[in-house]
Amino acid sequence: MNTAIIAALLLILLGIAYQTGCSRSRSLTLGGEARLHSRPVYHGALVAIWSLTPALLILALWALFGDTASRAYLLAQLPPETSSLAPADLDGAIRRIRQIESGFGIIGDAQPWENQAAEALREFRILTSAAIIAAAAGTGALALWFARSRISLRLRARNEVERMVSWAMIGCSIVAILTTAGIVASLLVEAIRFFTFVSPIDFFFGTVWNPGFSTTGHGSAGEYGLLPLLWGTLMVATIAILVALPIGLLTAIYLTQYASPRLRGFVKPIIEILAGIPTIVYGFFALVTVGPFLAGLGNLLGLDIRATSALTAGIVMGIMIIPFISSLSDDIIRQVPRAMRDGSLGLGATQSETIKRIILPAALPGIVGAFLLAVSRAIGETMIVVLAAGNSPYLRLNPGEPVSTVTVTIVNQLTGDTDFASPQSLVAFALGLTLFAMTLILNVAALYIVRRYREQYE
Amino acid sequence: MTENTRLEATEMNMPAATILARSDLYHMPSTTVRTPDAEPRSAKVIARNVSVFYGPKQALFDVSIDIPEKSVTAFIGPSGCGKSTFLRCLNRMNDTIDGCRVSGQIALDGSDIFAPSLDVVELRARVGMVFQKPNPFPKSIYENVAYGPRIHGLARSKADLDEIVASSLQKASLWNEVKDRLHEPGTGLSGGQQQRLCIARAIAVSPEVILMDEPCSALDPIATARIEELIDELKQNFTIVIVTHSMQQAARVSQRTAFFHLGNLVEEGPTDLIFTSPGEKRTQDYITGRFG
């Protein structure tokens, strides 16, 4: 309820401020040759920004510290006998009081002192929120008046608004950067905690993965060798790429160079539907259809292929990333200038010579980029491998055998009861960090290759 | 060569009356065309009733023209008049455009270029093309020129190929500027050099006809002058058809000029005649700058 009122008030403030700015600046030009430096809309926007910013700041401060303040007030209201309570019980009491105050049910009957405290809390809440709203509206109005008084013919409102907008954009990009940094930092911290249980050498170079269960107690019970998982990941990703790269690339070449516009308009969206299928659906497609088919095929050929294996997961994952490769390469091939194609055809080259010798080399950096993007997608893919790879973390050469991957293991270690203090669950962070490092390296490599070849070609 | 040029220059400066008096030079039967350099030449390309449609829209209407061998024929006309479209018919580059349809007959050395038995790849090797914007491949200078001979298997050995590359670059008068940096990217050259590289690339497959689609429109006057000189030299060995927006350029380089307007071939004849006493009012309006 409060939120709705505040939002409505802010909107009203915004509207008034904008209108004030517009009409004030317009009135300056009435009856004269005078020209405004900026158009009235910029004056309106400037006044609106000025008046909204302090109001929003006050609300933001309240959102950050309001809870602490109300808790402090509540503690002061509690009768003296509660001061002997343990911190955990005190927290429980405060939670009960807050629930009484907000009208939710509580377990057991409310004590009279709890009811009293709830009553006090309610009064405090109404008072403070009224005060906050008043403060926000007051500063907003004050700022509005100040911004309005600044309006003059020469005020460079447009420049100021544009500067503020660019600051806002910088702010947005900083949010993205900080989030990334935060994720990396938390991965790092937890991974370092893991490495206090298990030495990094055992982790990165160990060939046995057998972590035991977290319920078996603390300490480094079990072995945490990364290599079987890494091997499984690479095997599945390689199979996926072997499936997806030729199919995707040839599809893109066909669609851009040979297909009629009508056929292209029909085929391209269908291929892109593949990208929209949830990975879990691919997972049971692998489990129910592809796995048994491959096993049967293996029987026919006299090969030992299990239904859930690296091969099953890899092939289905390959199908999943076909649209990545084909769509990206399609766009890239399309960007090769028509003049190149005409130049080659005009010399009497055939279509296929033109593609092989002119178009593909010119599009190569982009295609490599698409390829590496697809690889990092394949490495990070989880659901298909959870269902179809067999979850068997052993070093095996035969792709027909079940494997396990880094992502699957993270899922295994974090599902069920976890306490984030045992190496069994902390290992997930070390695995996540490894995965992150791998995709990071791939992306950097992609950037490097793209840049290097671009120099050569432009 | 020099004598020919001088002859041509004197003819170019002839008063219109003299030219008209000698008009028997210019009304030849359709298979032979006489150009001002006095010798009658047989027609290399003969087009009859060529129409081009882009989807439902007709861009070119019943164009018939004879293009004499080993001389320069210029196509002039305002933008969108169909001159480039017609040029692109001559090596069937219009085939690469979706929804483009060509009707009528075009014969190269007497054989129909639309005949099913004709291989379009072979046709384009015989009728080379230079485009409006220089479009060197993103490869080295050497590779750019070697591209055509490689795909057509014209060189038997590396030395052979080197020889073809060198002579093509010489014929395109680019050799002296690039002979020390054959393996640097062709895209690093200046615009005029790039265009000469594209001409060398076209020459390297030893075509019989070279089509040039506004080859100087992206170049400065100095580079333009060099290309025009080059065209003048090339006409000894090649039949050249050039589309140009510049009437001065048409007057400078060509022996015959064809004026296109709104998809029609309005008039065609010896360049000096077209420019001094055009037979059609529309031609006169265009060359005197009244429209276009």
Side-chain angles (χ1 to χ4, degrees):
Chain A
M1 182 204 74
N2 260 345
T3 333
I5 291 177
I6 290 172
L9 282 175
L10 285 178
L11 271 180
I12 293 171
L13 184 63
L14 180 85
I16 294 175
Y18 180 78
Q19 280 307 325
T20 312
C22 281
S23 57
R24 168 80 187 141
S25 57
R26 234 178 243 128
S27 72
L28 288 179
T29 58
L30 287 179
E33 300 287 285
R35 276 194 67 239
L36 284 168
H37 168 268
S38 307
R39 288 171 50 218
V41 282
Y42 286 107
H43 287 283
L46 185 62
V47 176
I49 293 171
W50 263 97
S51 64
L52 226 51
T53 313
L56 283 175
L57 263 180
I58 287 177
L59 291 173
L61 284 178
W62 178 243
L64 278 178
F65 301 110
D67 194 56
T68 326
S70 85
R71 186 191 163 93
Y73 177 78
L74 200 53
L75 282 177
Q77 293 304 303
L78 291 183
E81 64 263 30
T82 56
S83 58
S84 58
L85 287 174
D89 293 336
L90 201 61
D91 279 346
I94 287 175
R95 208 173 303 136
R96 274 170 75 87
I97 293 167
R98 283 187 173 165
Q99 273 174 350
I100 296 171
E101 188 266 337
S102 60
F104 283 120
I106 53 163
I107 301 162
D109 288 326
Q111 305 284 330
W113 63 267
E114 286 177 330
N115 277 331
Q116 260 176 17
E119 192 56 40
L121 183 64
R122 182 174 301 134
E123 278 173 22
F124 175 77
R125 268 266 275 266
I126 292 172
L127 268 177
T128 46
S129 50
I132 291 298
I133 291 175
T139 46
L142 210 65
L144 192 160
W145 173 80
F146 171 70
R148 183 185 180 276
S149 71
R150 285 178 72 226
I151 294 178
S152 71
L153 287 176
R154 297 315 311 154
L155 176 68
R156 305 198 159 196
R158 169 166 47 78
N159 308 30
E160 286 189 29
V161 168
E162 274 164 5
R163 198 175 322 122
M164 285 169 185
V165 169
S166 77
W167 278 111
M169 287 190 278
I170 290 171
C172 291
S173 49
I174 284 175
V175 168
I177 293 168
L178 285 183
T179 314
T180 315
I183 291 173
V184 174
S186 79
L187 272 181
L188 261 179
V189 169
E190 300 291 337
I192 287 168
R193 264 179 75 197
F194 168 74
F195 287 128
T196 59
F197 292 99
V198 179
S199 94
I201 293 173
D202 288 347
F203 176 71
F204 286 114
F205 300 104
T207 54
V208 179
W209 176 264
N210 180 22
F213 295 100
S214 56
T215 43
T216 54
H218 294 262
S220 55
E223 290 176 84
Y224 301 89
L226 174 70
L227 289 182
L229 308 178
L230 206 58
W231 173 247
T233 305
L234 291 180
M235 189 145 76
V236 174
T238 310
I239 295 170
I241 290 297
L242 286 181
V243 172
L245 190 67
I247 298 182
L249 199 55
L250 291 178
T251 307
I253 291 173
Y254 175 72
L255 284 182
T256 51
Q257 306 296 317
Y258 293 98
S260 68
R262 258 187 70 197
L263 184 70
R264 189 186 135 75
F266 178 71
V267 171
K268 206 177 175 201
I270 291 182
I271 293 173
E272 275 160 8
I273 285 176
L274 278 181
I277 297 175
T279 54
I280 185 81
V281 176
Y282 278 110
F284 50 74
F285 170 62
L287 196 63
V288 175
T289 315
V290 179
F293 170 76
L294 285 176
L297 194 70
N299 257 342
L300 271 179
L301 300 174
L303 293 172
D304 185 23
I305 299 176
R306 305 277 291 276
T308 55
S309 65
L311 199 61
T312 313
I315 288 177
V316 175
M317 197 192 281
I319 295 171
M320 183 194 76
I321 54 182
I322 285 171
F324 272 84
I325 296 199
S326 78
S327 259
L328 287 172
S329 325
D330 184 309
D331 292 345
I332 291 152
I333 291 174
R334 198 162 289 280
Q335 278 167 19
V336 175
R338 204 194 152 82
M340 294 289 127
R341 206 180 133 197
D342 280 355
S344 171
L345 292 175
L347 286 171
T350 63
Q351 185 97 320
S352 66
E353 283 164 344
T354 306
I355 291 165
K356 268 183 299 190
R357 290 164 179 263
I358 302 296
I359 293 178
L360 286 187
L364 190 68
I367 291 172
V368 171
F371 165 74
L372 289 178
L373 221 61
V375 174
S376 37
R377 176 79 206 247
I379 287 175
E381 171 50 39
T382 311
M383 255 14 258
I384 294 173
V385 248
V386 165
L387 288 177
N391 187 21
S392 156
Y394 299 100
L395 275 173
R396 288 180 177 126
L397 265 179
N398 179 359
E401 294 273 329
V403 293
S404 185
T405 67
V406 177
T407 50
V408 170
T409 312
I410 293 178
V411 172
N412 287 342
Q413 297 309 112
L414 290 186
T415 39
D417 258 346
T418 49
D419 59 359
F420 291 103
S422 66
Q424 279 86 357
S425 49
L426 284 176
V427 70
F429 293 98
L431 290 172
L433 194 66
T434 315
L435 211 55
F436 176 75
M438 281 165 71
T439 41
L440 187 71
I441 290 170
L442 279 174
N443 288 347
V444 171
L447 272 181
Y448 172 78
I449 291 172
V450 168
R451 212 167 281 163
R452 208 193 118 128
Y453 277 84
R454 184 153 296 161
E455 273 171 9
Q456 193 172 330
Y457 279 110
E458 270 166 28
Chain B
M1 166 68 215
T2 39
E3 193 167 30
N4 271 352
T5 330
R6 213 175 310 126
L7 241 171
E8 188 189 310
T10 46
E11 289 225 280
M12 295 271 268
N13 296 331
M14 269 194 284
T18 328
I19 291 171
L20 279 176
R22 296 172 58 183
S23 62
D24 64 316
L25 270 177
Y26 304 112
H27 299 289
M28 293 278 120
S30 64
T31 45
T32 32
V33 183
R34 191 166 289 179
T35 46
D37 48 340
E39 285 176 46
R41 302 199 180 279
S42 58
K44 182 77 181 168
V45 180
I46 300 168
R48 288 294 173 268
N49 299 321
V50 176
S51 296
V52 179
F53 302 84
Y54 292 119
K57 191 177 156 284
Q58 187 166 4
L60 208 61
F61 299 85
D62 292 325
V63 172
S64 300
I65 189 174
D66 293 348
I67 292 166
E69 130 175 282
K70 297 198 174 156
S71 65
V72 180
T73 304
F75 293 172
I76 59 169
S79 298
C81 66
K83 54 194 189 306
S84 290
T85 300
F86 181 65
L87 188 78
R88 292 170 65 95
C89 288
L90 301 181
N91 67 346
R92 287 181 57 187
M93 278 304 277
N94 283 331
D95 290 12
T96 67
I97 296 172
D98 291 324
C100 179
R101 193 161 57 77
V102 182
S103 70
Q105 288 103 43
I106 298 177
L108 176 65
D109 281 341
S111 55
D112 181 12
I113 68 164
F114 296 114
S117 61
L118 178 128
D119 184 4
V120 68
V121 163
E122 216 172 284
L123 171 71
R124 290 184 191 143
R126 289 174 65 194
V127 184
M129 188 156 194
V130 175
F131 295 84
Q132 183 169 0
K133 225 180 122 220
N135 60 345
F137 300 131
K139 299 173 183 290
S140 70
I141 294 169
Y142 182 92
E143 286 298 322
N144 261 287
V145 183
Y147 182 80
R150 278 220 171 105
I151 56 176
H152 294 297
L154 298 182
R156 243 167 278 115
S157 63
K158 177 83 174 69
D160 240 10
L161 191 61
D162 288 347
E163 169 58 31
I164 293 177
V165 169
S167 76
S168 306
L169 284 169
Q170 275 155 5
K171 281 184 206 153
S173 67
L174 189 61
W175 176 249
N176 289 332
E177 291 156 68
V178 300
K179 62 174 184 249
D180 301 321
R181 45 174 178 149
L182 286 177
H183 296 283
E184 284 172 30
T187 42
L189 297 173
S190 75
Q193 289 173 325
Q194 286 190 12
Q195 196 60 296
R196 275 181 280 146
L197 178 62
C198 292
I199 293 174
R201 189 174 72 179
I203 293 172
V205 264
S206 4
E208 297 154 36
V209 181
I210 301 177
L211 309 177
M212 298 188 174
D213 190 355
E214 297 180 37
C216 303
S217 64
L219 306 180
D220 66 36
I222 295 170
T224 301
R226 296 215 55 176
I227 302 266
E228 286 179 5
E229 254 170 62
L230 176 60
I231 291 172
D232 207 51
E233 284 163 27
L234 290 175
K235 78 166 190 285
Q236 297 206 316
N237 300 312
F238 304 96
T239 303
I240 293 174
V241 186
I242 178 172
V243 164
T244 175
H245 262 131
S246 149
M247 282 168 287
Q248 291 87 335
Q249 184 171 62
R252 282 192 299 262
V253 302
S254 73
Q255 282 75 58
R256 289 184 78 84
T257 296
F259 171 61
F260 285 75
H261 186 229
L262 299 176
N264 290 295
L265 173 62
V266 176
E267 190 173 358
E268 182 265 333
T271 300
D272 38 12
L273 191 62
I274 292 279
F275 279 97
T276 49
S277 53
E280 290 263 342
K281 175 127 189 3
R282 274 182 293 172
T283 318
Q284 183 159 21
D285 287 350
Y286 182 69
I287 60 175
T288 53
R290 211 158 294 163
F291 76 92

